[in-house]
Amino acid sequence: MKHAYVFPGQGSQFQGMGKSFYDNNPKAKSLFEKANEILGFRISDIMFTGTDEDLKQTKVTQPAVFLHSVIGFLCLDNPTPAMTAGHSLGEFSALVANGTLAFEDALRLVAIRANAMQKACEATPSTMAVVLGLEDAKVEEVCATITDDVVVPANYNCPGQLVISGTVPAVERAMELMKAAGAKRAMLLPVGGAFHSPLMAPAQAELQAAIEKMTFNTPTCPVYQNVVAKAVSDPAEIKKNLISQLTGAVRWTQCVQAMIADGAQRFTEVGPGKVLQGLIAKIDKTAVTDGISTGLEEAVAK
């Protein structure tokens, strides 16, 4: 049975995340302290005792979700993934899990990515919306009709659930057109920017400069990257796809379908929440899914 490990992205954070790792597992505690040192502030304190508002800051959210996922994975007893993948931010966690990136280097890149995205969000009023009950092709068609502004398909989460991204007026106009085209619902998401759209180009340039300085190793197993939705093992190609991801769509549906086509029979979600398990079940009802999420903290607290 080929075992895939998958990692969630921004939005799966929760108050108190990681505290029992830190309190009960010496390796986890050491990794959290290393992270505090690398970031230059005690992110562990925000994760353990911060409010929801504290955790919603992009510069905090992205490193926090990354740390919860990766520290949890590194504290598991000899995990042996046959393939890895991550949703958006989760791709960095997937690259630590398959040995492409060292923990420290990945955390530095995540911090740079988060700060660069925050700046891009502040530069242009922008947002995202989820469209339910409409075929992907129809969502793409509607977005393509809006040519005087920016709105694009951003997250292909599962059949019948696609997130669009762009300027506030363009997203609002697209939502009305989606409803007229038969969407069951179209709702704005509580985000501060247009992730995975051309509006992230300034952040992409900053992230590219940082990625090109980092060492990317040959992975122990393939990673299924968001923008190409196929197995990738070449470090140079992994770098290129990671850079493209900031302005390109997250093709999660297609990633999961490709993993199943390549023999994945079990998917384990590592990190906060159960979002990916739910999406995978909607993509393929025969897929076996499990999660090491909030329960992960008890699993490694020994």
Side-chain angles (χ1 to χ4, degrees):
M1 178 181 284
K2 284 194 176 180
H3 193 170
Y5 283 76
V6 296
F7 300 86
Q10 190 167 341
S12 53
Q13 66 275 6
F14 64 93
Q15 286 180 292
M17 60 190 295
K19 188 173 189 307
S20 61
F21 292 173
Y22 185 96
D23 290 343
N24 298 290
N25 189 289
K27 182 177 181 180
K29 182 175 182 178
S30 173
L31 289 168
F32 271 117
E33 289 300 339
K34 186 177 288 187
N36 290 335
E37 185 179 330
I38 289 169
L39 295 173
F41 67 97
R42 291 193 62 80
I43 191 170
S44 58
D45 292 349
I46 301 172
M47 291 171 68
F48 304 162
T49 61
T51 65
D52 282 339
E53 285 304 310
D54 294 332
L55 286 168
K56 280 180 184 175
Q57 301 174 72
T58 297
K59 69 174 185 179
V60 172
T61 309
Q62 293 194 20
V65 171
F66 168 84
L67 288 170
H68 190 280
S69 296
V70 170
I71 290 175
F73 179 85
L74 294 176
C75 290
L76 291 174
D77 186 19
N78 296 318
T80 53
M83 53 186 79
T84 66
H87 190 287
S88 188
L89 163 71
E91 197 158 276
F92 288 84
S93 306
L95 292 174
V96 176
N98 75 357
T100 302
L101 281 170
F103 168 79
E104 297 87 347
D105 288 345
L107 177 59
R108 290 185 181 99
L109 288 178
V110 166
I112 290 166
R113 179 183 190 266
N115 286 317
M117 288 174 74
Q118 184 64 46
K119 282 188 280 185
C121 290
E122 291 165 1
T124 307
S126 52
T127 191
M128 303 175 81
V130 62
V131 180
L132 302 177
L134 206 58
E135 290 183 3
D136 292 351
K138 192 65 183 176
V139 175
E140 292 165 353
E141 181 186 319
V142 170
C143 287
T145 65
I146 299 174
T147 57
D148 60 341
D149 210 340
V150 177
V151 58
V152 295
N155 296 348
Y156 292 75
N157 286 335
C158 67
Q161 185 188 127
L162 204 162
V163 174
I164 60 174
S165 182
T167 65
V168 173
V171 169
E172 289 177 342
R173 197 177 348 152
M175 287 168 61
E176 292 309 310
L177 292 172
M178 302 289 179
K179 291 173 187 174
K184 290 180 182 175
R185 296 182 76 183
M187 302 171 291
L188 286 173
L189 295 174
V191 296
F195 304 146
H196 304 292
S197 83
L199 296 175
M200 286 291 115
Q204 186 180 50
E206 197 170 333
L207 181 63
Q208 179 173 352
I211 283 175
E212 287 175 349
K213 293 175 186 174
M214 292 290 183
T215 298
F216 278 56
N217 305 308
T218 300
T220 57
C221 68
V223 59
Y224 287 68
Q225 289 188 277
N226 292 174
V227 296
V228 292
K230 65 179 183 178
V232 185
S233 295
D234 175 59
E237 190 178 349
I238 291 172
K239 279 188 177 185
K240 176 186 163 192
N241 293 335
L242 203 58
I243 293 163
S244 297
Q245 192 219 71
L246 265 191
T247 55
V250 173
R251 299 184 178 277
W252 186 251
T253 299
Q254 296 86 343
C255 281
V256 172
Q257 289 169 339
M259 294 166 90
I260 291 170
D262 290 346
Q265 293 168 294
R266 180 184 172 195
F267 291 83
T268 297
E269 180 176 5
V270 185
K274 299 180 179 180
V275 169
L276 298 186
Q277 294 169 69
L279 295 180
I280 291 166
K282 290 175 182 174
I283 293 165
D284 190 321
K285 291 180 173 62
T286 67
V288 175
T289 61
D290 57 27
I292 310 170
S293 51
T294 49
L296 173 60
E297 303 202 16
E298 286 69 47
V300 301
K302 54 188 177 183

